[in-house]
Amino acid sequence: MLRTHTCGELRAEHVDQTVTVCGWVDSRRDHGGLVFIDLRDRYGKVQIVFDPSQGDDLHNLAGSVRNEYVLKVTGKVVRRAEKDVNPKIPTGEIDVRSNHLEVLNASRVVPFEPGTLNPPNEELRLKYRFLDLRRPRLQELMVFRHRLTKLVRDYFDRHGFLEIETPMLGRSTPEGARDYLVPSRVHPGCFYALPQSPQIYKQILMIAGYDRYMQIARCFRDEDLRADRQPEFTQVDIEMAFVDREDILQTVDGLVAFLMQEIRGVQHPLPLPRLTYAESMERFGSDKPDLRYGMELKDIGDIAANCGFGVFKNALASGGRVRGLNAVGAAAKYSRKQIDELTVFVGDFKAKGLAFFRVTETGLDSPIAKFFGPEEQQAIIQRFDAKAGDLIFIVADQPKVTSAALGALRSRLGKELALFDPNEMHFAWILDFPLFSYNEEEKKWDAEHHPFCNPVPDDVGYFETDPGKIRATSYDLVVNGYEGASGSVRIHDPVVQQKVFDLLGIPAEEAEKRFSFLLEALRYGAPPHAGIALGLDRWVMMFTGCDNIRDVIAFPKTQKAADLLSGAPSNVDAKQLKELSIKIDEPKA
RNA sequence: GGCUCCGUAGCUCAGUCGGUUUAGAGCGCUGGCCUGUCACGCCAGAGGUCGCGGGUUCAAGUCCCGUCGGAGUCGCCA
């Protein structure tokens, strides 16, 4: 080792010791006589003092270093005078009085200082990610990510799970997300697909007798990015055999309690709350509601049915619903202009309008209040448990639209009105999802979760009559409004599996071609099995209060899926393409 | 693919209604001074393709169109 101690570990107890530390120059204060250098490593910062009495050579060298130079410094740890103690940093009671300095490497003038109080724009941070990653905040996040990952591994190890790696180069399967493809040199015209998840492999591991599997698995999906979505991301992938839904829920409940204990030092109450998909959509308009606050959706169809407002009546007459929510105390916080913005916002979710009522001491105040008699107004106030100063929003539309629009509005208002404690972690299970959803555009049924999800046994009769009614044995763990985990009991009966493929419109021969290895495996003694996958990046986000997934990934990609540090993706040599039998057909500009 | 926001010095930003001449400030940078600072201080200085292209205008950082890049979001994400 070039050093005897890290910068961040030095304390008063080291006084009088001669130490050697290495690190980056965080800042330099040259007094002409005394030179102070704050030396930084990932453990912290320590102040080095260069005194002219140590000779001109050392002093001149110390004066010549610049920010982000890499130094090796030897010196004696000395206690600072009382008045010179810096209580803002853990090493503030001591200095290292240097008698030897080696510049291990110089640095160009950096485009931004890792020690800066407000970091620059993200484009620059990503281009110079090595500087960004020197920032204490990012180092903190990387350390936390390591720790969370380690705790997860520890938990599953203690419960007898085996970590088994599955291939990155796999077979492209239909449905699901767009695959990232990797051309095969040996098989011209053929491609591997990077895994969207290790789904089929882990099921085959169950069939192979590895009844408790886990993997910290990298997954790839070629879809557009979001604040919480990257094209490559990490799942904690889990599968168990000889279990039912309850076993998976309890296993993950236990993980949550373990993590909350280890990370937050709190005893999280178990079991985690459970609600059905139908209930969640009804009360919150979303299958991943943020349950740190209430503001539940209410139906006022019965009240609206008799009102004089045509928009509401027409919506009801055409099979729609009239639902809304109450933003408590928000009447004065939203101007007419801001409400207009919210109207545009719900328009993104196909809502044709957004009605509102300001609640006053005497009733409702709104451009449409005149369509509601005193009794109707009181009924609305009562339905929303409203009082003066509240602001009620109503959407009248097709049922799905009211859920989507109000669910999104609830989420936005929750943030804008700061209805939750950002440090709180709220976990809840969403159960009984529909197995299929009807795709209006393509006039076909789609799997809501994935095609290997077992139907609730009681519902299999609906395959022929009403597939939309079939419930799935799937479950999502919702954390603070994010989908934190998702899984299901799998199909282990090849006959049921075939039924699902049939309904999804995957012809038998097609299914046989694409999934033959799974279908074949199912025929050789498949145990009942179930599993789940946790979005590790999102869990790191939630535990650290980040609002963006890029901050918890060392080398993330931009919204256009580019890596600004390396310049990926890039063109490749004609020779490489030729070896792969690939010709580029660029789209016309 | 759609919608919205952003792009001015290395960085963070200001720049009014389109018109004050040479587009400013702080930080950083360069040089000088400074022996207890810790966002050190003081003095002096350098540093600009106003993302790029086109248009409107007597006049464009400012208005319009396009484009590139970044961000958010809808679609998409079994």
Side-chain angles (χ1 to χ4, degrees):
Chain A
M1 289 293 287
L2 300 185
R3 65 189 179 197
T4 61
H5 294 76
T6 66
C7 297
E9 73 176 306
L10 294 175
R11 296 287 185 278
E13 67 193 72
H14 297 98
V15 165
D16 287 339
Q17 291 185 27
T18 295
V19 300
T20 300
V21 291
C22 296
W24 287 263
V25 175
D26 195 65
S27 72
R28 170 183 60 96
R29 294 173 294 282
D30 185 345
H31 287 223
L34 285 175
V35 176
F36 299 97
I37 288 176
D38 290 344
L39 203 62
R40 180 194 69 236
D41 59 20
R42 78 173 168 91
Y43 308 93
K45 284 197 292 190
V46 68
Q47 175 165 277
I48 316 293
V49 183
F50 294 91
D51 192 290
S53 66
Q54 296 291 324
D56 285 352
D57 286 352
L58 177 64
H59 196 251
N60 289 340
L61 186 59
S64 73
V65 306
R66 293 294 180 267
N67 284 348
E68 300 309 313
Y69 275 34
V70 185
L71 307 184
K72 177 183 164 190
V73 174
T74 300
K76 195 172 179 184
V77 179
V78 298
R79 186 183 292 278
R80 295 192 194 183
E82 198 66 39
K83 68 176 175 55
D84 293 331
V85 166
N86 182 354
K88 284 185 278 188
I89 57 173
T91 62
E93 279 186 275
I94 54 101
D95 288 325
V96 175
R97 286 210 160 242
S98 175
N99 54 27
H100 185 77
L101 165 66
E102 189 180 336
V103 176
L104 296 174
N105 219 336
S107 168
R108 286 188 172 185
V109 173
V110 287
F112 64 92
E113 305 274 342
T116 189
L117 293 172
N118 60 326
N121 74 71
E122 212 173 338
E123 196 175 344
L124 199 75
R125 288 175 48 202
L126 291 176
K127 184 174 174 191
Y128 295 96
R129 192 60 165 173
F130 46 89
L131 295 179
D132 201 28
L133 286 166
R134 281 183 199 166
R135 290 167 52 221
R137 172 60 176 163
L138 259 69
Q139 297 197 334
E140 224 172 76
L141 293 171
M142 294 304 131
V143 170
F144 179 81
R145 183 179 177 126
H146 160 80
R147 193 168 155 238
L148 180 69
T149 309
K150 170 87 164 54
L151 289 170
V152 167
R153 281 204 168 97
D154 288 348
Y155 175 83
F156 286 106
D157 179 58
R158 278 177 213 173
H159 288 79
F161 286 75
L162 299 176
E163 182 160 8
I164 300 175
E165 290 169 272
T166 52
M168 301 295 270
L169 297 176
R171 173 171 190 141
S172 178
T173 50
E175 306 254 325
R178 203 173 288 114
D179 283 324
Y180 275 102
L181 296 176
V182 179
S184 163
R185 173 181 58 83
V186 183
H187 302 275
C190 292
F191 294 83
Y192 302 98
L194 301 180
Q196 296 177 28
S197 82
Q199 182 63 35
I200 294 176
Y201 287 109
K202 68 175 174 177
Q203 290 191 237
I204 288 177
L205 285 170
M206 293 306 107
I207 297 168
Y210 299 82
D211 62 343
R212 292 187 162 211
Y213 146 92
M214 74 84 63
Q215 184 182 191
I216 308 290
R218 192 68 63 85
C219 303
F220 304 85
R221 294 177 189 177
D222 186 5
E223 298 293 348
D224 287 349
L225 287 77
R226 289 286 185 281
D228 65 343
R229 250 161 53 186
Q230 281 273 304
E232 57 178 308
F233 60 100
T234 305
Q235 282 188 346
V236 179
D237 198 40
I238 297 152
E239 197 78 7
M240 302 169 79
F242 308 116
V243 294
D244 56 23
R245 182 177 84 178
E246 192 58 33
D247 297 290
I248 299 288
L249 301 194
Q250 286 183 16
T251 299
V252 176
D253 275 10
L255 173 67
V256 167
F258 175 67
L259 294 176
M260 289 298 282
Q261 181 66 57
E262 293 293 322
I263 293 166
R264 296 281 177 94
V266 298
Q267 252 191 319
H268 198 83
L270 295 183
L272 298 176
R274 302 175 181 189
L275 57 168
T276 66
Y277 170 86
E279 187 184 357
S280 183
M281 295 305 288
E282 187 60 29
R283 290 172 55 193
F284 306 103
S286 166
D287 61 0
K288 46 180 164 64
D290 191 334
L291 296 171
R292 289 176 295 181
Y293 54 95
M295 200 157 67
E296 296 193 15
L297 277 46
K298 304 287 180 193
D299 190 305
I300 59 161
D302 54 328
I303 304 169
N306 303 312
C307 74
F309 189 42
V311 171
F312 285 4
K313 292 180 89 160
N314 292 341
L316 290 169
S318 56
R321 299 183 63 185
V322 182
R323 300 163 80 196
L325 54 78
N326 178 18
V328 172
K333 293 178 184 163
Y334 284 86
S335 66
R336 183 58 202 265
K337 192 182 164 194
Q338 287 167 311
I339 291 174
D340 286 345
E341 282 171 19
L342 294 178
T343 307
V344 172
F345 173 73
V346 297
D348 284 349
F349 302 88
K350 304 277 188 300
K352 289 183 281 294
L354 180 67
F356 67 93
F357 298 106
R358 287 196 169 87
V359 182
T360 67
E361 298 293 348
T362 52
L364 298 175
D365 176 28
S366 165
I368 61 164
K370 62 189 171 201
F371 297 110
F372 296 83
E375 280 169 32
E376 287 162 344
Q377 293 198 7
Q378 283 311 313
I380 289 171
I381 288 170
Q382 210 166 18
R383 180 67 48 86
F384 287 102
D385 197 19
K387 56 189 186 311
D390 290 355
L391 179 56
I392 295 170
F393 290 103
I394 307 286
V395 173
D397 222 303
Q398 288 307 299
K400 275 186 187 171
V401 172
T402 60
S403 287
L406 289 166
L409 182 65
R410 175 177 178 274
S411 172
R412 174 167 171 166
L413 293 175
K415 288 190 187 86
E416 288 184 1
L417 297 168
L419 295 183
F420 54 85
D421 171 0
N423 291 316
E424 187 188 341
M425 298 280 285
H426 192 289
F427 302 84
W429 290 105
I430 310 292
L431 306 173
D432 292 342
F433 281 76
L435 187 61
F436 303 107
S437 61
Y438 193 67
N439 183 331
E440 293 287 350
E441 271 176 30
E442 298 178 40
K443 303 286 177 209
K444 70 184 196 57
W445 290 96
D446 286 340
E448 185 74 23
H449 182 50
H450 59 52
F452 316 111
C453 174
N454 207 35
V456 169
D458 291 348
D459 294 353
V460 291
Y462 294 123
F463 261 100
E464 286 74 28
T465 55
D466 189 357
K469 266 195 174 170
I470 304 172
R471 284 168 300 165
T473 53
S474 65
Y475 29 81
D476 278 8
L477 184 64
V478 177
V479 193
N480 295 354
Y482 287 98
E483 182 193 301
S486 181
S488 63
V489 178
R490 322 299 185 187
I491 299 170
H492 67 282
D493 178 347
V495 176
V496 176
Q497 185 66 74
Q498 192 58 57
K499 273 184 125 161
V500 170
F501 284 148
D502 287 347
L503 192 77
L504 293 176
I506 304 174
E509 58 272 25
E510 177 78 3
E512 200 63 44
K513 211 168 87 189
R514 302 279 197 167
F515 299 113
S516 61
F517 59 121
L518 175 65
L519 290 172
E520 187 72 354
L522 288 174
R523 296 183 186 114
Y524 285 86
H529 59 288
I532 192 164
L534 284 64
L536 181 71
D537 316 273
R538 286 182 188 169
W539 282 61
V540 178
M541 275 175 76
M542 291 178 294
F543 270 109
T544 56
C546 290
D547 55 7
N548 137 18
I549 200 171
R550 294 178 298 279
D551 282 350
V552 302
I553 296 174
F555 302 104
K557 292 181 174 57
T558 66
Q559 197 167 60
K560 291 213 166 91
D563 176 354
L564 299 182
L565 178 70
S566 72
S570 68
N571 295 319
V572 297
D573 290 344
K575 180 167 172 277
Q576 285 178 286
L577 291 175
K578 197 167 175 358
E579 280 181 338
L580 296 167
S581 313
I582 286 179
K583 278 201 176 117
I584 305 295
D585 179 18
E586 283 189 61
K588 298 270 188 294

PDB file of all heavy atoms in Angstrom, chain A residues 460-472:
ATOM      1  N   VAL A 460     -60.465 -20.747 -14.432  1.00  0.00           N
ATOM      2  CA  VAL A 460     -60.087 -21.325 -15.724  1.00  0.00           C
ATOM      3  C   VAL A 460     -61.295 -21.556 -16.621  1.00  0.00           C
ATOM      4  O   VAL A 460     -61.152 -21.626 -17.843  1.00  0.00           O
ATOM      5  CB  VAL A 460     -59.280 -22.640 -15.583  1.00  0.00           C
ATOM      6  CG1 VAL A 460     -57.906 -22.358 -15.012  1.00  0.00           C
ATOM      7  CG2 VAL A 460     -60.036 -23.647 -14.746  1.00  0.00           C
ATOM      8  N   GLY A 461     -62.488 -21.612 -16.035  1.00  0.00           N
ATOM      9  CA  GLY A 461     -63.687 -21.784 -16.836  1.00  0.00           C
ATOM     10  C   GLY A 461     -63.927 -20.621 -17.784  1.00  0.00           C
ATOM     11  O   GLY A 461     -64.627 -20.756 -18.790  1.00  0.00           O
ATOM     12  N   TYR A 462     -63.355 -19.464 -17.483  1.00  0.00           N
ATOM     13  CA  TYR A 462     -63.599 -18.276 -18.302  1.00  0.00           C
ATOM     14  C   TYR A 462     -62.769 -18.234 -19.584  1.00  0.00           C
ATOM     15  O   TYR A 462     -62.928 -17.328 -20.379  1.00  0.00           O
ATOM     16  CB  TYR A 462     -63.298 -17.007 -17.499  1.00  0.00           C
ATOM     17  CG  TYR A 462     -64.234 -16.773 -16.339  1.00  0.00           C
ATOM     18  CD1 TYR A 462     -63.752 -16.637 -15.039  1.00  0.00           C
ATOM     19  CD2 TYR A 462     -65.611 -16.654 -16.549  1.00  0.00           C
ATOM     20  CE1 TYR A 462     -64.597 -16.409 -13.972  1.00  0.00           C
ATOM     21  CE2 TYR A 462     -66.472 -16.421 -15.488  1.00  0.00           C
ATOM     22  CZ  TYR A 462     -65.960 -16.307 -14.191  1.00  0.00           C
ATOM     23  OH  TYR A 462     -66.800 -16.067 -13.157  1.00  0.00           O
ATOM     24  N   PHE A 463     -61.867 -19.196 -19.754  1.00  0.00           N
ATOM     25  CA  PHE A 463     -61.016 -19.163 -20.941  1.00  0.00           C
ATOM     26  C   PHE A 463     -61.855 -19.056 -22.208  1.00  0.00           C
ATOM     27  O   PHE A 463     -61.540 -18.305 -23.114  1.00  0.00           O
ATOM     28  CB  PHE A 463     -60.125 -20.417 -21.010  1.00  0.00           C
ATOM     29  CG  PHE A 463     -58.732 -20.166 -20.503  1.00  0.00           C
ATOM     30  CD1 PHE A 463     -58.366 -20.535 -19.218  1.00  0.00           C
ATOM     31  CD2 PHE A 463     -57.793 -19.548 -21.317  1.00  0.00           C
ATOM     32  CE1 PHE A 463     -57.103 -20.294 -18.742  1.00  0.00           C
ATOM     33  CE2 PHE A 463     -56.519 -19.314 -20.850  1.00  0.00           C
ATOM     34  CZ  PHE A 463     -56.163 -19.684 -19.564  1.00  0.00           C
ATOM     35  N   GLU A 464     -62.960 -19.854 -22.223  1.00  0.00           N
ATOM     36  CA  GLU A 464     -63.778 -19.877 -23.428  1.00  0.00           C
ATOM     37  C   GLU A 464     -64.818 -18.762 -23.428  1.00  0.00           C
ATOM     38  O   GLU A 464     -65.195 -18.258 -24.479  1.00  0.00           O
ATOM     39  CB  GLU A 464     -64.488 -21.237 -23.558  1.00  0.00           C
ATOM     40  CG  GLU A 464     -63.570 -22.384 -23.972  1.00  0.00           C
ATOM     41  CD  GLU A 464     -62.639 -22.856 -22.851  1.00  0.00           C
ATOM     42  OE1 GLU A 464     -63.013 -22.724 -21.661  1.00  0.00           O
ATOM     43  OE2 GLU A 464     -61.527 -23.330 -23.157  1.00  0.00           O
ATOM     44  N   THR A 465     -65.274 -18.368 -22.223  1.00  0.00           N
ATOM     45  CA  THR A 465     -66.406 -17.449 -22.166  1.00  0.00           C
ATOM     46  C   THR A 465     -66.005 -15.988 -22.015  1.00  0.00           C
ATOM     47  O   THR A 465     -66.507 -15.122 -22.733  1.00  0.00           O
ATOM     48  CB  THR A 465     -67.321 -17.827 -20.987  1.00  0.00           C
ATOM     49  OG1 THR A 465     -66.530 -17.849 -19.785  1.00  0.00           O
ATOM     50  CG2 THR A 465     -67.934 -19.197 -21.206  1.00  0.00           C
ATOM     51  N   ASP A 466     -65.099 -15.676 -21.087  1.00  0.00           N
ATOM     52  CA  ASP A 466     -64.795 -14.273 -20.792  1.00  0.00           C
ATOM     53  C   ASP A 466     -63.383 -14.141 -20.239  1.00  0.00           C
ATOM     54  O   ASP A 466     -63.184 -13.985 -19.030  1.00  0.00           O
ATOM     55  CB  ASP A 466     -65.822 -13.741 -19.772  1.00  0.00           C
ATOM     56  CG  ASP A 466     -65.711 -12.246 -19.589  1.00  0.00           C
ATOM     57  OD1 ASP A 466     -64.812 -11.634 -20.211  1.00  0.00           O
ATOM     58  OD2 ASP A 466     -66.522 -11.687 -18.824  1.00  0.00           O
ATOM     59  N   PRO A 467     -62.384 -14.192 -21.122  1.00  0.00           N
ATOM     60  CA  PRO A 467     -60.991 -14.209 -20.671  1.00  0.00           C
ATOM     61  C   PRO A 467     -60.626 -13.006 -19.798  1.00  0.00           C
ATOM     62  O   PRO A 467     -59.750 -13.102 -18.943  1.00  0.00           O
ATOM     63  CB  PRO A 467     -60.195 -14.182 -21.984  1.00  0.00           C
ATOM     64  CG  PRO A 467     -61.135 -14.681 -23.018  1.00  0.00           C
ATOM     65  CD  PRO A 467     -62.505 -14.246 -22.584  1.00  0.00           C
ATOM     66  N   GLY A 468     -61.329 -11.893 -19.998  1.00  0.00           N
ATOM     67  CA  GLY A 468     -61.026 -10.699 -19.205  1.00  0.00           C
ATOM     68  C   GLY A 468     -61.304 -10.911 -17.731  1.00  0.00           C
ATOM     69  O   GLY A 468     -60.822 -10.160 -16.885  1.00  0.00           O
ATOM     70  N   LYS A 469     -62.124 -11.918 -17.412  1.00  0.00           N
ATOM     71  CA  LYS A 469     -62.497 -12.161 -16.019  1.00  0.00           C
ATOM     72  C   LYS A 469     -61.488 -13.039 -15.280  1.00  0.00           C
ATOM     73  O   LYS A 469     -61.568 -13.173 -14.058  1.00  0.00           O
ATOM     74  CB  LYS A 469     -63.864 -12.857 -15.968  1.00  0.00           C
ATOM     75  CG  LYS A 469     -65.029 -11.900 -15.814  1.00  0.00           C
ATOM     76  CD  LYS A 469     -66.263 -12.669 -15.399  1.00  0.00           C
ATOM     77  CE  LYS A 469     -67.430 -11.753 -15.091  1.00  0.00           C
ATOM     78  NZ  LYS A 469     -68.670 -12.507 -14.929  1.00  0.00           N
ATOM     79  N   ILE A 470     -60.574 -13.663 -16.051  1.00  0.00           N
ATOM     80  CA  ILE A 470     -59.637 -14.583 -15.405  1.00  0.00           C
ATOM     81  C   ILE A 470     -58.642 -13.786 -14.566  1.00  0.00           C
ATOM     82  O   ILE A 470     -57.996 -12.870 -15.057  1.00  0.00           O
ATOM     83  CB  ILE A 470     -58.864 -15.407 -16.463  1.00  0.00           C
ATOM     84  CG1 ILE A 470     -59.852 -16.145 -17.362  1.00  0.00           C
ATOM     85  CG2 ILE A 470     -57.903 -16.384 -15.777  1.00  0.00           C
ATOM     86  CD1 ILE A 470     -59.188 -16.820 -18.545  1.00  0.00           C
ATOM     87  N   ARG A 471     -58.571 -14.148 -13.301  1.00  0.00           N
ATOM     88  CA  ARG A 471     -57.582 -13.498 -12.438  1.00  0.00           C
ATOM     89  C   ARG A 471     -56.252 -14.243 -12.520  1.00  0.00           C
ATOM     90  O   ARG A 471     -56.215 -15.454 -12.728  1.00  0.00           O
ATOM     91  CB  ARG A 471     -58.064 -13.483 -10.988  1.00  0.00           C
ATOM     92  CG  ARG A 471     -59.131 -12.457 -10.701  1.00  0.00           C
ATOM     93  CD  ARG A 471     -59.750 -12.696  -9.354  1.00  0.00           C
ATOM     94  NE  ARG A 471     -60.382 -14.033  -9.285  1.00  0.00           N
ATOM     95  CZ  ARG A 471     -60.744 -14.624  -8.139  1.00  0.00           C
ATOM     96  NH1 ARG A 471     -60.540 -14.024  -6.988  1.00  0.00           N
ATOM     97  NH2 ARG A 471     -61.299 -15.810  -8.153  1.00  0.00           N
ATOM     98  N   ALA A 472     -55.183 -13.489 -12.348  1.00  0.00           N
ATOM     99  CA  ALA A 472     -53.848 -14.076 -12.394  1.00  0.00           C
ATOM    100  C   ALA A 472     -53.379 -14.345 -10.979  1.00  0.00           C
ATOM    101  O   ALA A 472     -53.789 -13.677 -10.032  1.00  0.00           O
ATOM    102  CB  ALA A 472     -52.883 -13.120 -13.085  1.00  0.00           C
TER     103      ALA A 472
END
